[in-house]
Amino acid sequence: MPHYLVAAPQDGLVAQLEHIAARTRLPLIAYQRGQVAFTAESLKRIADIPNVVGLKDGHSDLDRLQRLTLAAPEDFLFFNGASTAERQVSVG
């Protein structure tokens, strides 16, 4: 999970995942919440990292989430991490 209480540039978010992924064979799930919000372009970049398998969303911004799901590969996983998750419907 990135440092979500401070804003980070997209390149930094991607670099952090690349750094972690290079040091493990475990599947990784990126997490966006607080100040961390991936763009569709950044999502494409992290989806290209072999062991990054999905994204957990804590924003509940359905417009952004739709753009991300459309940019992601078909087998990329999405998880709802919003505090109101039990009341939301999945998009995509």
Side-chain angles (χ1 to χ4, degrees):
M1 181 167 83
H3 306 282
Y4 59 90
L5 296 177
V6 281
Q10 294 295 304
D11 286 340
L13 297 173
V14 174
Q16 181 186 35
L17 281 169
E18 290 171 335
H19 181 81
I20 294 167
R23 285 150 181 81
T24 184
R25 290 182 290 195
L26 295 172
L28 301 175
I29 298 169
Y31 190 17
Q32 66 173 12
R33 64 176 279 198
Q35 298 294 328
V36 175
F38 290 96
T39 63
E41 184 57 39
S42 291
L43 184 96
K44 289 178 189 178
R45 290 173 59 196
I46 66 170
D48 284 340
I49 303 169
N51 50 336
V52 176
V53 299
L55 176 75
K56 181 177 177 181
D57 174 65
H59 285 285
S60 302
D61 180 339
L62 296 180
D63 181 54
R64 176 189 297 273
L65 192 54
Q66 182 178 28
R67 287 193 307 273
L68 295 177
T69 57
L70 292 173
E74 191 172 309
D75 61 344
F76 200 75
L77 303 172
F78 285 88
F79 300 90
N80 188 337
S83 59
T84 58
E86 66 278 356
R87 294 183 285 166
Q88 291 181 330
V89 178
S90 176
V91 296

